[in-house]
Amino acid sequence: MMRGCQKRKIVNKIKTRGYDLNSGALDKIILFADHFPHDSLGEAIDLLLDNLQQESLKSSILHAESVQGVISRLLGALDAADEPTTAASSLVFIDAFVVPKYRYDAIKKKFIIEDTSSPLPVHAEASAKTELYRERFMLLWQKVSRSEYFSRPAFGSSEISPIQSLLFQMGRKWVMGLISQLEDGHIYLEDLSASVEIDLSKAKITTGFFTENTIILAEGEMHNGIFQVITCGFPPLEDRNITLRTHSGYDFFGAGTPPKEDMIRLADLERQAVNDTFVILSDIWLDDEEVLRKLETVLDGFESVEIVPCLFVFMGNFCSRPCNLSFGSYSSLRQQFGKLGRMIGNHQRLKENSRFLFIPGPDDAGPSTVLPRCRLPNYLTQELRDVIPNAVFLSNPCRVKLYNQEIVFFRQDLVYKMRRLCLMTPSSEETDDPFQHLVSTITHQSHLCPLPLMLQPIIWNYDHCLRLYPTPHTIVLGDKSEQKVFKLGGTTCFNPGSFSTDRTFVAYRPCTQQVELSAL
């Protein structure tokens, strides 16, 4: 049945390009397609047809001989390509401060990349704060505006009304806006046109944490100058593939846009790399001897496995107490990083075949608690880097790409903060799990931290670094709450837990999105 479905897909694809083919040519193309994963079939056939077009064929009917010549050349090129010998060497690491910045142009209905030839200033002008909110709103607005969900008859109208129009239109309306408290005790909804006070006391809500700064879709009507909300929820998710088709050619993730041939080759490597593993640990207190002993036990275990992990991810905090102005033990912490480096160096297979990524936590050393946080200071990590030259130090959050898999890492205690700041008790209709509410919030908001800036400052010019658009394949949320995993809309999200508190960590196979919750 799978082969029949594949055959129909190939025939339809070829006919839409204006070709016909005989049975011999179809058999050759099916054998060619078998070299690629099923989800890359369309791209493989496009590549084949693009090369056939360059052959100046005398007829629109494809014959086995002409097809075989092109197939042989393509497969030869793929085999001769400079394939990475290990998964570790194919990893791409992206610091938050180099992620491309796009803004949405509502008139041209497309994203426009901003010139970042020189770094954006950390201390921006006041207009950058307004721009931050506008771009968050427009990012979700352009997604909602093409959503089929709002064209269903059950909603009564396929249009979302501007808030400004509520003063002149009666009856139930759908509006979209950002929740804010312009006055103490009074909740407002703002869009690009105006703001209106809302009453959420009788609203039926969907899964998620509804806090200030989140953008919602609300159905209701005006009464005495207040918009009485009947139903509200977050903007709907958009399938990653739909986003990529709509905005093809954009490098939202920051890892570059490889040509189609490379994407097919990477997909083939990804299909074969089912055993490639990431080991992810959060809260590694280097000043705690018991934690270091347990960490060595973990390293000992992975040193002896048949295929060693291609990446170890160590997320902060790296000290049991905050590294703030009263912290006076930086030289000691530097030595403890050196001790960790020597511990890793004693595991020869891991040192030679694995990469080691270090991501700072919310209480680690740095210029401030503002997001995104820059990487750990060189002073602290110098002794470790002397021993482990393939260690990588990135910002928080940061991004990693393995073949075609896009993975976002973020270390922040979000579960507690989001629950504490909720304006309404989260809905228990679908789940009572706080982690699932958190995942639903950040994925629907397309943003890692949609909290009020007064409570979690963000560098205005670098808010785009926290976007989740298109939705990545994997989101790792390091949180001191209990270990969890949840899959939503094709995205795998998990919290590895706190290694220092409860000795939990995660072994993750990114190419199959398989999460193994582990503990000592």
PDB file of all heavy atoms in Angstrom, residues 142-169:
ATOM      1  N   GLN A 142      -0.026  37.561  10.957  1.00  0.00           N
ATOM      2  CA  GLN A 142       0.098  37.029   9.594  1.00  0.00           C
ATOM      3  C   GLN A 142      -0.177  35.521   9.571  1.00  0.00           C
ATOM      4  O   GLN A 142      -0.659  34.993   8.581  1.00  0.00           O
ATOM      5  CB  GLN A 142       1.479  37.355   9.016  1.00  0.00           C
ATOM      6  CG  GLN A 142       2.680  36.842   9.799  1.00  0.00           C
ATOM      7  CD  GLN A 142       3.104  35.435   9.437  1.00  0.00           C
ATOM      8  OE1 GLN A 142       2.882  34.978   8.308  1.00  0.00           O
ATOM      9  NE2 GLN A 142       3.687  34.723  10.389  1.00  0.00           N
ATOM     10  N   LYS A 143       0.100  34.849  10.681  1.00  0.00           N
ATOM     11  CA  LYS A 143      -0.179  33.420  10.773  1.00  0.00           C
ATOM     12  C   LYS A 143      -1.682  33.175  10.908  1.00  0.00           C
ATOM     13  O   LYS A 143      -2.252  32.314  10.237  1.00  0.00           O
ATOM     14  CB  LYS A 143       0.583  32.841  11.972  1.00  0.00           C
ATOM     15  CG  LYS A 143       0.494  31.350  12.114  1.00  0.00           C
ATOM     16  CD  LYS A 143       1.477  30.838  13.167  1.00  0.00           C
ATOM     17  CE  LYS A 143       1.187  31.364  14.552  1.00  0.00           C
ATOM     18  NZ  LYS A 143       2.007  30.690  15.590  1.00  0.00           N
ATOM     19  N   VAL A 144      -2.331  33.969  11.763  1.00  0.00           N
ATOM     20  CA  VAL A 144      -3.774  33.819  11.973  1.00  0.00           C
ATOM     21  C   VAL A 144      -4.550  34.195  10.710  1.00  0.00           C
ATOM     22  O   VAL A 144      -5.568  33.573  10.383  1.00  0.00           O
ATOM     23  CB  VAL A 144      -4.231  34.688  13.168  1.00  0.00           C
ATOM     24  CG1 VAL A 144      -5.749  34.728  13.266  1.00  0.00           C
ATOM     25  CG2 VAL A 144      -3.647  34.151  14.464  1.00  0.00           C
ATOM     26  N   SER A 145      -4.075  35.193   9.987  1.00  0.00           N
ATOM     27  CA  SER A 145      -4.823  35.704   8.832  1.00  0.00           C
ATOM     28  C   SER A 145      -4.990  34.680   7.721  1.00  0.00           C
ATOM     29  O   SER A 145      -5.874  34.821   6.881  1.00  0.00           O
ATOM     30  CB  SER A 145      -4.129  36.955   8.274  1.00  0.00           C
ATOM     31  OG  SER A 145      -2.852  36.632   7.768  1.00  0.00           O
ATOM     32  N   ARG A 146      -4.149  33.645   7.697  1.00  0.00           N
ATOM     33  CA  ARG A 146      -4.304  32.601   6.672  1.00  0.00           C
ATOM     34  C   ARG A 146      -4.764  31.260   7.270  1.00  0.00           C
ATOM     35  O   ARG A 146      -4.733  30.239   6.609  1.00  0.00           O
ATOM     36  CB  ARG A 146      -2.995  32.405   5.909  1.00  0.00           C
ATOM     37  CG  ARG A 146      -1.818  31.978   6.738  1.00  0.00           C
ATOM     38  CD  ARG A 146      -0.599  31.683   5.844  1.00  0.00           C
ATOM     39  NE  ARG A 146       0.559  31.350   6.660  1.00  0.00           N
ATOM     40  CZ  ARG A 146       1.427  32.228   7.126  1.00  0.00           C
ATOM     41  NH1 ARG A 146       1.275  33.516   6.840  1.00  0.00           N
ATOM     42  NH2 ARG A 146       2.449  31.848   7.870  1.00  0.00           N
ATOM     43  N   SER A 147      -5.169  31.298   8.545  1.00  0.00           N
ATOM     44  CA  SER A 147      -5.616  30.077   9.203  1.00  0.00           C
ATOM     45  C   SER A 147      -7.005  29.679   8.727  1.00  0.00           C
ATOM     46  O   SER A 147      -7.942  30.483   8.743  1.00  0.00           O
ATOM     47  CB  SER A 147      -5.627  30.275  10.721  1.00  0.00           C
ATOM     48  OG  SER A 147      -6.239  29.175  11.359  1.00  0.00           O
ATOM     49  N   GLU A 148      -7.141  28.437   8.306  1.00  0.00           N
ATOM     50  CA  GLU A 148      -8.452  27.929   7.881  1.00  0.00           C
ATOM     51  C   GLU A 148      -9.411  27.819   9.067  1.00  0.00           C
ATOM     52  O   GLU A 148     -10.622  27.806   8.881  1.00  0.00           O
ATOM     53  CB  GLU A 148      -8.291  26.553   7.227  1.00  0.00           C
ATOM     54  CG  GLU A 148      -7.525  26.580   5.919  1.00  0.00           C
ATOM     55  CD  GLU A 148      -7.407  25.205   5.288  1.00  0.00           C
ATOM     56  OE1 GLU A 148      -7.900  24.230   5.902  1.00  0.00           O
ATOM     57  OE2 GLU A 148      -6.818  25.118   4.197  1.00  0.00           O
ATOM     58  N   TYR A 149      -8.861  27.766  10.255  1.00  0.00           N
ATOM     59  CA  TYR A 149      -9.691  27.583  11.445  1.00  0.00           C
ATOM     60  C   TYR A 149     -10.734  28.686  11.589  1.00  0.00           C
ATOM     61  O   TYR A 149     -11.858  28.437  12.009  1.00  0.00           O
ATOM     62  CB  TYR A 149      -8.774  27.572  12.670  1.00  0.00           C
ATOM     63  CG  TYR A 149      -9.459  27.195  13.959  1.00  0.00           C
ATOM     64  CD1 TYR A 149      -9.965  25.921  14.156  1.00  0.00           C
ATOM     65  CD2 TYR A 149      -9.588  28.122  14.991  1.00  0.00           C
ATOM     66  CE1 TYR A 149     -10.583  25.569  15.337  1.00  0.00           C
ATOM     67  CE2 TYR A 149     -10.204  27.785  16.180  1.00  0.00           C
ATOM     68  CZ  TYR A 149     -10.699  26.507  16.346  1.00  0.00           C
ATOM     69  OH  TYR A 149     -11.316  26.167  17.518  1.00  0.00           O
ATOM     70  N   PHE A 150     -10.363  29.880  11.202  1.00  0.00           N
ATOM     71  CA  PHE A 150     -11.287  30.998  11.386  1.00  0.00           C
ATOM     72  C   PHE A 150     -12.199  31.219  10.182  1.00  0.00           C
ATOM     73  O   PHE A 150     -12.944  32.175  10.137  1.00  0.00           O
ATOM     74  CB  PHE A 150     -10.501  32.274  11.692  1.00  0.00           C
ATOM     75  CG  PHE A 150     -10.084  32.327  13.127  1.00  0.00           C
ATOM     76  CD1 PHE A 150      -8.864  31.799  13.508  1.00  0.00           C
ATOM     77  CD2 PHE A 150     -10.912  32.843  14.094  1.00  0.00           C
ATOM     78  CE1 PHE A 150      -8.479  31.810  14.835  1.00  0.00           C
ATOM     79  CE2 PHE A 150     -10.535  32.867  15.418  1.00  0.00           C
ATOM     80  CZ  PHE A 150      -9.318  32.342  15.794  1.00  0.00           C
ATOM     81  N   SER A 151     -12.132  30.331   9.226  1.00  0.00           N
ATOM     82  CA  SER A 151     -13.072  30.419   8.110  1.00  0.00           C
ATOM     83  C   SER A 151     -14.206  29.424   8.259  1.00  0.00           C
ATOM     84  O   SER A 151     -15.083  29.333   7.417  1.00  0.00           O
ATOM     85  CB  SER A 151     -12.339  30.163   6.782  1.00  0.00           C
ATOM     86  OG  SER A 151     -11.825  28.846   6.740  1.00  0.00           O
ATOM     87  N   ARG A 152     -14.191  28.659   9.361  1.00  0.00           N
ATOM     88  CA  ARG A 152     -15.271  27.693   9.578  1.00  0.00           C
ATOM     89  C   ARG A 152     -16.577  28.415   9.912  1.00  0.00           C
ATOM     90  O   ARG A 152     -16.579  29.429  10.625  1.00  0.00           O
ATOM     91  CB  ARG A 152     -14.916  26.738  10.722  1.00  0.00           C
ATOM     92  CG  ARG A 152     -13.763  25.800  10.373  1.00  0.00           C
ATOM     93  CD  ARG A 152     -13.452  24.899  11.545  1.00  0.00           C
ATOM     94  NE  ARG A 152     -12.329  24.019  11.261  1.00  0.00           N
ATOM     95  CZ  ARG A 152     -11.801  23.183  12.145  1.00  0.00           C
ATOM     96  NH1 ARG A 152     -12.283  23.124  13.365  1.00  0.00           N
ATOM     97  NH2 ARG A 152     -10.780  22.413  11.816  1.00  0.00           N
ATOM     98  N   PRO A 153     -17.708  27.903   9.441  1.00  0.00           N
ATOM     99  CA  PRO A 153     -19.004  28.553   9.701  1.00  0.00           C
ATOM    100  C   PRO A 153     -19.325  28.695  11.189  1.00  0.00           C
ATOM    101  O   PRO A 153     -20.033  29.597  11.578  1.00  0.00           O
ATOM    102  CB  PRO A 153     -20.009  27.623   9.018  1.00  0.00           C
ATOM    103  CG  PRO A 153     -19.214  26.896   7.987  1.00  0.00           C
ATOM    104  CD  PRO A 153     -17.829  26.739   8.549  1.00  0.00           C
ATOM    105  N   ALA A 154     -18.742  27.803  12.008  1.00  0.00           N
ATOM    106  CA  ALA A 154     -19.076  27.843  13.436  1.00  0.00           C
ATOM    107  C   ALA A 154     -18.687  29.169  14.076  1.00  0.00           C
ATOM    108  O   ALA A 154     -19.223  29.574  15.096  1.00  0.00           O
ATOM    109  CB  ALA A 154     -18.374  26.696  14.161  1.00  0.00           C
ATOM    110  N   PHE A 155     -17.745  29.874  13.476  1.00  0.00           N
ATOM    111  CA  PHE A 155     -17.304  31.139  14.050  1.00  0.00           C
ATOM    112  C   PHE A 155     -18.137  32.319  13.574  1.00  0.00           C
ATOM    113  O   PHE A 155     -17.985  33.426  14.078  1.00  0.00           O
ATOM    114  CB  PHE A 155     -15.823  31.372  13.732  1.00  0.00           C
ATOM    115  CG  PHE A 155     -14.912  30.512  14.558  1.00  0.00           C
ATOM    116  CD1 PHE A 155     -14.600  29.235  14.147  1.00  0.00           C
ATOM    117  CD2 PHE A 155     -14.394  30.976  15.753  1.00  0.00           C
ATOM    118  CE1 PHE A 155     -13.771  28.430  14.911  1.00  0.00           C
ATOM    119  CE2 PHE A 155     -13.558  30.182  16.524  1.00  0.00           C
ATOM    120  CZ  PHE A 155     -13.258  28.905  16.091  1.00  0.00           C
ATOM    121  N   GLY A 156     -18.989  32.091  12.569  1.00  0.00           N
ATOM    122  CA  GLY A 156     -19.884  33.148  12.133  1.00  0.00           C
ATOM    123  C   GLY A 156     -19.230  34.169  11.234  1.00  0.00           C
ATOM    124  O   GLY A 156     -19.893  34.814  10.449  1.00  0.00           O
ATOM    125  N   SER A 157     -17.944  34.362  11.351  1.00  0.00           N
ATOM    126  CA  SER A 157     -17.241  35.341  10.528  1.00  0.00           C
ATOM    127  C   SER A 157     -15.797  34.903  10.376  1.00  0.00           C
ATOM    128  O   SER A 157     -15.210  34.363  11.299  1.00  0.00           O
ATOM    129  CB  SER A 157     -17.287  36.726  11.175  1.00  0.00           C
ATOM    130  OG  SER A 157     -16.466  37.623  10.455  1.00  0.00           O
ATOM    131  N   SER A 158     -15.266  35.095   9.201  1.00  0.00           N
ATOM    132  CA  SER A 158     -13.881  34.719   8.947  1.00  0.00           C
ATOM    133  C   SER A 158     -12.931  35.860   9.268  1.00  0.00           C
ATOM    134  O   SER A 158     -11.732  35.724   9.103  1.00  0.00           O
ATOM    135  CB  SER A 158     -13.700  34.312   7.479  1.00  0.00           C
ATOM    136  OG  SER A 158     -14.042  35.385   6.623  1.00  0.00           O
ATOM    137  N   GLU A 159     -13.459  36.986   9.719  1.00  0.00           N
ATOM    138  CA  GLU A 159     -12.613  38.139   9.968  1.00  0.00           C
ATOM    139  C   GLU A 159     -12.487  38.427  11.457  1.00  0.00           C
ATOM    140  O   GLU A 159     -13.396  38.178  12.243  1.00  0.00           O
ATOM    141  CB  GLU A 159     -13.183  39.380   9.267  1.00  0.00           C
ATOM    142  CG  GLU A 159     -13.138  39.305   7.746  1.00  0.00           C
ATOM    143  CD  GLU A 159     -13.558  40.610   7.109  1.00  0.00           C
ATOM    144  OE1 GLU A 159     -13.910  41.548   7.857  1.00  0.00           O
ATOM    145  OE2 GLU A 159     -13.548  40.680   5.870  1.00  0.00           O
ATOM    146  N   ILE A 160     -11.324  38.941  11.802  1.00  0.00           N
ATOM    147  CA  ILE A 160     -11.091  39.406  13.167  1.00  0.00           C
ATOM    148  C   ILE A 160     -11.220  40.916  13.157  1.00  0.00           C
ATOM    149  O   ILE A 160     -10.595  41.603  12.353  1.00  0.00           O
ATOM    150  CB  ILE A 160      -9.694  38.975  13.647  1.00  0.00           C
ATOM    151  CG1 ILE A 160      -9.602  37.444  13.663  1.00  0.00           C
ATOM    152  CG2 ILE A 160      -9.396  39.541  15.032  1.00  0.00           C
ATOM    153  CD1 ILE A 160      -8.215  36.927  13.928  1.00  0.00           C
ATOM    154  N   SER A 161     -12.036  41.439  14.045  1.00  0.00           N
ATOM    155  CA  SER A 161     -12.301  42.882  14.068  1.00  0.00           C
ATOM    156  C   SER A 161     -11.178  43.642  14.757  1.00  0.00           C
ATOM    157  O   SER A 161     -10.691  43.200  15.812  1.00  0.00           O
ATOM    158  CB  SER A 161     -13.611  43.170  14.789  1.00  0.00           C
ATOM    159  OG  SER A 161     -14.687  42.512  14.155  1.00  0.00           O
ATOM    160  N   PRO A 162     -10.772  44.786  14.220  1.00  0.00           N
ATOM    161  CA  PRO A 162      -9.848  45.656  14.959  1.00  0.00           C
ATOM    162  C   PRO A 162     -10.525  46.148  16.240  1.00  0.00           C
ATOM    163  O   PRO A 162     -11.741  46.375  16.265  1.00  0.00           O
ATOM    164  CB  PRO A 162      -9.585  46.813  13.991  1.00  0.00           C
ATOM    165  CG  PRO A 162     -10.032  46.330  12.650  1.00  0.00           C
ATOM    166  CD  PRO A 162     -11.120  45.328  12.897  1.00  0.00           C
ATOM    167  N   ILE A 163      -9.783  46.304  17.291  1.00  0.00           N
ATOM    168  CA  ILE A 163     -10.355  46.755  18.562  1.00  0.00           C
ATOM    169  C   ILE A 163     -11.009  48.126  18.407  1.00  0.00           C
ATOM    170  O   ILE A 163     -12.042  48.418  19.024  1.00  0.00           O
ATOM    171  CB  ILE A 163      -9.276  46.755  19.654  1.00  0.00           C
ATOM    172  CG1 ILE A 163      -8.911  45.303  20.005  1.00  0.00           C
ATOM    173  CG2 ILE A 163      -9.732  47.513  20.895  1.00  0.00           C
ATOM    174  CD1 ILE A 163      -7.796  45.159  21.019  1.00  0.00           C
ATOM    175  N   GLN A 164     -10.444  48.958  17.567  1.00  0.00           N
ATOM    176  CA  GLN A 164     -10.994  50.295  17.350  1.00  0.00           C
ATOM    177  C   GLN A 164     -12.432  50.255  16.861  1.00  0.00           C
ATOM    178  O   GLN A 164     -13.246  51.131  17.182  1.00  0.00           O
ATOM    179  CB  GLN A 164     -10.112  51.030  16.343  1.00  0.00           C
ATOM    180  CG  GLN A 164     -10.374  52.518  16.227  1.00  0.00           C
ATOM    181  CD  GLN A 164      -9.368  53.177  15.278  1.00  0.00           C
ATOM    182  OE1 GLN A 164      -9.093  52.649  14.199  1.00  0.00           O
ATOM    183  NE2 GLN A 164      -8.811  54.297  15.689  1.00  0.00           N
ATOM    184  N   SER A 165     -12.777  49.202  16.102  1.00  0.00           N
ATOM    185  CA  SER A 165     -14.118  49.117  15.517  1.00  0.00           C
ATOM    186  C   SER A 165     -15.181  48.715  16.530  1.00  0.00           C
ATOM    187  O   SER A 165     -16.385  48.812  16.245  1.00  0.00           O
ATOM    188  CB  SER A 165     -14.119  48.111  14.364  1.00  0.00           C
ATOM    189  OG  SER A 165     -13.956  46.779  14.852  1.00  0.00           O
ATOM    190  N   LEU A 166     -14.784  48.259  17.730  1.00  0.00           N
ATOM    191  CA  LEU A 166     -15.769  47.803  18.714  1.00  0.00           C
ATOM    192  C   LEU A 166     -16.668  48.938  19.185  1.00  0.00           C
ATOM    193  O   LEU A 166     -17.781  48.699  19.666  1.00  0.00           O
ATOM    194  CB  LEU A 166     -15.048  47.181  19.918  1.00  0.00           C
ATOM    195  CG  LEU A 166     -14.231  45.905  19.647  1.00  0.00           C
ATOM    196  CD1 LEU A 166     -13.554  45.435  20.923  1.00  0.00           C
ATOM    197  CD2 LEU A 166     -15.117  44.801  19.076  1.00  0.00           C
ATOM    198  N   LEU A 167     -16.207  50.161  19.067  1.00  0.00           N
ATOM    199  CA  LEU A 167     -17.008  51.299  19.499  1.00  0.00           C
ATOM    200  C   LEU A 167     -18.188  51.565  18.566  1.00  0.00           C
ATOM    201  O   LEU A 167     -19.169  52.207  18.953  1.00  0.00           O
ATOM    202  CB  LEU A 167     -16.135  52.555  19.567  1.00  0.00           C
ATOM    203  CG  LEU A 167     -14.977  52.516  20.576  1.00  0.00           C
ATOM    204  CD1 LEU A 167     -14.127  53.776  20.438  1.00  0.00           C
ATOM    205  CD2 LEU A 167     -15.500  52.372  21.995  1.00  0.00           C
ATOM    206  N   PHE A 168     -18.103  51.045  17.330  1.00  0.00           N
ATOM    207  CA  PHE A 168     -19.124  51.361  16.332  1.00  0.00           C
ATOM    208  C   PHE A 168     -19.932  50.143  15.887  1.00  0.00           C
ATOM    209  O   PHE A 168     -20.944  50.290  15.215  1.00  0.00           O
ATOM    210  CB  PHE A 168     -18.462  51.986  15.092  1.00  0.00           C
ATOM    211  CG  PHE A 168     -17.470  53.058  15.425  1.00  0.00           C
ATOM    212  CD1 PHE A 168     -16.118  52.815  15.349  1.00  0.00           C
ATOM    213  CD2 PHE A 168     -17.897  54.307  15.857  1.00  0.00           C
ATOM    214  CE1 PHE A 168     -15.193  53.800  15.666  1.00  0.00           C
ATOM    215  CE2 PHE A 168     -16.992  55.304  16.174  1.00  0.00           C
ATOM    216  CZ  PHE A 168     -15.636  55.047  16.082  1.00  0.00           C
ATOM    217  N   GLN A 169     -19.504  48.934  16.254  1.00  0.00           N
ATOM    218  CA  GLN A 169     -20.182  47.722  15.805  1.00  0.00           C
ATOM    219  C   GLN A 169     -20.774  46.989  17.001  1.00  0.00           C
ATOM    220  O   GLN A 169     -20.108  46.833  18.023  1.00  0.00           O
ATOM    221  CB  GLN A 169     -19.212  46.804  15.048  1.00  0.00           C
ATOM    222  CG  GLN A 169     -18.627  47.439  13.781  1.00  0.00           C
ATOM    223  CD  GLN A 169     -17.627  46.527  13.101  1.00  0.00           C
ATOM    224  OE1 GLN A 169     -17.411  45.398  13.524  1.00  0.00           O
ATOM    225  NE2 GLN A 169     -17.020  46.995  12.032  1.00  0.00           N
TER     226      GLN A 169
END
